[in-house]
DNA sequence: AAGTAAACGAGACGGTACGTCCTGTCTTTAG
DNA sequence: CTAAAGACAGGACGTACCGTCTCGTTTACTT
């Protein structure tokens, strides 16, 4: 990871230019070539940066991708509160699908979830700082506060049941669903959890 | 893929011994070393087989893994019909979790789902012959026939909503849930789809 | 080293084409670029060969160079016996100078002698199979047999005293000496060892 | 090279401490690790000096080594005039062998002679300021003045014939020779050059 | 005393070669 | 014609050095 906690007292400071170049390179290469075709060597060349500079700040392409995606994700997943809980949840579902299927950060997220199945380090990375969870937690929290979900709702389970089916479809490249579909999806989610 | 259409008229026949050796090697290596550390060369050596022999019958380690997993999966995911739908669904959820977290084939399935995010060929492979879907379809079908789910139930959506949350938890290495949890999970699933 | 002692019973045999391509590449690159600028990567590319193939048969550029030079050296250093010992020794001195200053193999020999000062492995290599020594030994032996040098002559010392000054001049890029110079040089060598 | 021509009018002056630290570091590292293992970075760290400081005053490790060796060489190669020319020459030969095989500066000299075969800049360096030549010239000059060598003796050739065989043996790590050997060696040198 | 300017230690920078590993193909002998 | 064995061309891996370039700091000489 590139976030340096303490500032080193001495030596040439890290080049922010190089950092940005790497993050942009990774972002673009993911879309153009896909995760598997990306290499540390290729990233360095694309960014116009030495390989050592990349390794100095990130230990794998997954880590770079995670940082690049995190920067955009919170902004892209922001779902403003709607009038009522069904609308709120349905809007969030649509936002999430759009994020996962069209956004650069969303593609990165899917690649990272995939990679996490092969590499425990990546699994730890996304579990320590999941891009999607916070937004899902927020929308469920709103429903609880409105009284549309019981106060006893287990947050982890609720997130899994809200996000899981969406991720399942997206990871399998299922065809897009209609707006009405997500409206009914939100309703089922609420109905199943009515006390 | 290993399915040979017509039998070649002449020459030395394909060695079934070699095929079995490869499938067993892949199975064991996945558990011992993980997906990423497996290589075609390593598989061949472990199986006591030439590299060319592996390439002759499968085009990637994903394909070998898929075949190895498919053999076991249907048997391991068989969930006998229980007395009522909630019990049936809860039992299936538990079986699926056990499969995905402890079985060799289940680990292979997770590795393949991960790989599918990087490689379209693998995505096609698992979508053409998903190990889990048939079992989920069967248990949902039983609920429809019992009248506990409406006849109009969309099967693809229902599978996604039943399996999605489970896969979401498992892919993130979430801690095991209790039997009661899955009982309530099944109930929420049915309640959301009532009326 | 590339000399395989025992023949392996199985597998694809070594490609003689690749071996020749590497040896030629090294030969040409030494002249064009110099020893320091030659790299294993560059040799492989120039030879149209994989890096692994190079490492499979030689462990360093010095070893390749040694093999390439050895092939040519004995032929190029062959000095036919002259009428008398002074002429014989003078002719050999001239041949040796020409070899060391103009021949590809001679340039390689100088590079190897240089490298041997930094790398004990190279030192061992050239001491185990020196390109120059055999030819010097032969010409001194002839002088002994003619009775122009005492039978008690220590061969190692005589070689050092015959070849050393020549090598000293060549390694320092001293200007070329005349034919008469080498004639007098041979005479001094014989005179110093008379009686 | 470190000899600064004109003194800059202003700014912090060069640190003599740093210069000495670098020269000592190089001296020790050569003995401990060998020429090939020495790096500019390693030298700087060993000397407790910044890399830039090293590059400011020397352009390569060969140059540092040359300066370090030059400081000691003239002192170590000083060979006091003996009673007669054979003794004088024999003593010098022994001194030279000892220098080349045991002294730090002698090891440095051998490393530089080796490097000169790969790098023309180093070749120029040692030919412009050879550590050994002056001492050899002095001892030969004494023999001429004593009348034991003809006045017409070509100095360059004589140096080559006196030093060449010694260097040849040393560069090949030949076993040490006895005192009697060098006595006879000196005699042969004189006999060969008697008019 | 304040200002100027170069040298200082430190270490990141863009590059490039290292030697190893793996890929998918090819070439041998054995069955 | 398949099998095991293993060499082939190619290319990415992560590491190490190269020589250059900033940093903040230090140290002498100039006003």
């Amino acid at each position: 990871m590139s976030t340096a906690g303490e500032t080193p007292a001495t030596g040439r400071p890290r080049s922010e230019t190089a950092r940005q170049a790497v993050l942009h390179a990774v972002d673009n290469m993911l879309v153009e070539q896909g995760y598997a075709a990306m290499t540390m060597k290729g990233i360095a060349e694309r960014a116009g940066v030495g390989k050592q500079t990349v390794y100095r700040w990130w230990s794998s392409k997954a880590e770079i991708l995670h940082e690049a995606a995190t920067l955009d994700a919170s902004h892209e997943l922001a779902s403003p509160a709607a009038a009522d809980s069904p609308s709120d949840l349905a809007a969030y579902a649509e936002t999430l699908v759009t994020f996962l299927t069209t956004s650069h950060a969303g593609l990165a997220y899917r690649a990272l979830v995939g990679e996490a199945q092969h590499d425990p380090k990546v699994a730890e990375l996304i579990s320590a700082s999941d891009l999607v969870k916070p937004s899902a937690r927020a929308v469920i929290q709103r429903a609880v506060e409105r009284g549309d979900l019981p106060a006893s709702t287990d947050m982890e389970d609720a997130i899994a049941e809200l996000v899981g089916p969406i991720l399942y479809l997206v990871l399998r490249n299922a065809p897009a669903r209609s707006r009405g579909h997500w409206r009914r999806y939100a309703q089922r989610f609420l109905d199943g959890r009515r006390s």
Side-chain angles (χ1 to χ4, degrees), chain A:
Chain A
M1 182 69 70
S2 71
T3 49
E6 64 285 2
T7 314
T10 180
R12 179 176 178 173
R14 172 170 184 188
S15 161
E16 185 60 23
T17 308
R19 180 173 164 269
Q20 292 295 339
V22 170
L23 293 176
H24 284 132
V26 160
D27 210 51
N28 294 326
M29 290 176 80
L30 179 69
V31 177
E32 293 169 21
Q33 317 177 358
Y35 183 84
M38 280 171 53
T39 65
M40 290 298 257
K41 192 192 179 199
I43 293 166
E45 279 169 7
R46 171 72 165 258
V49 142
K51 254 203 311 178
Q52 187 70 252
T53 298
V54 180
Y55 279 108
R56 199 166 358 239
W57 303 111
W58 299 276
S59 67
S60 65
K61 60 177 175 174
E63 223 172 60
I64 313 175
L65 211 47
H66 184 71
E67 179 166 344
T70 302
L71 295 177
D72 304 333
S74 62
H75 157 257
E76 295 183 26
L77 279 172
S79 181
D84 54 277
S85 286
S87 305
D88 210 11
L89 287 159
Y92 175 70
E94 275 196 88
T95 300
L96 182 53
V97 168
T98 302
F99 171 76
L100 290 171
T101 53
T102 64
S103 150
H104 283 203
L107 291 176
Y109 182 73
R110 290 164 63 183
L112 287 169
V113 170
E115 185 67 1
Q117 308 313 311
H118 307 143
D119 184 345
K121 284 191 177 176
V122 179
E124 207 174 329
L125 196 66
I126 63 171
S127 93
S129 154
D130 194 291
L131 309 187
V132 167
K133 253 187 184 171
S135 61
R137 179 176 288 111
V139 70
I140 293 168
Q141 190 60 45
R142 284 204 296 266
V144 171
E145 285 162 4
R146 278 188 180 108
D148 292 324
L149 284 177
S152 63
T153 300
D154 180 288
M155 194 52 79
E156 292 302 309
D157 290 343
I159 292 172
E161 286 168 36
L162 179 61
V163 173
I166 294 171
L167 207 54
Y168 179 91
L169 292 171
V170 169
L171 291 186
R172 273 166 185 70
N173 297 310
R177 259 62 176 179
S178 70
R179 175 149 301 185
H181 172 84
W182 295 118
R183 179 78 202 203
R184 290 189 296 278
Y185 176 73
Q187 197 60 56
R188 284 198 292 276
F189 178 79
L190 290 168
D191 287 352
R193 297 185 154 271
R194 209 156 32 199
S195 68

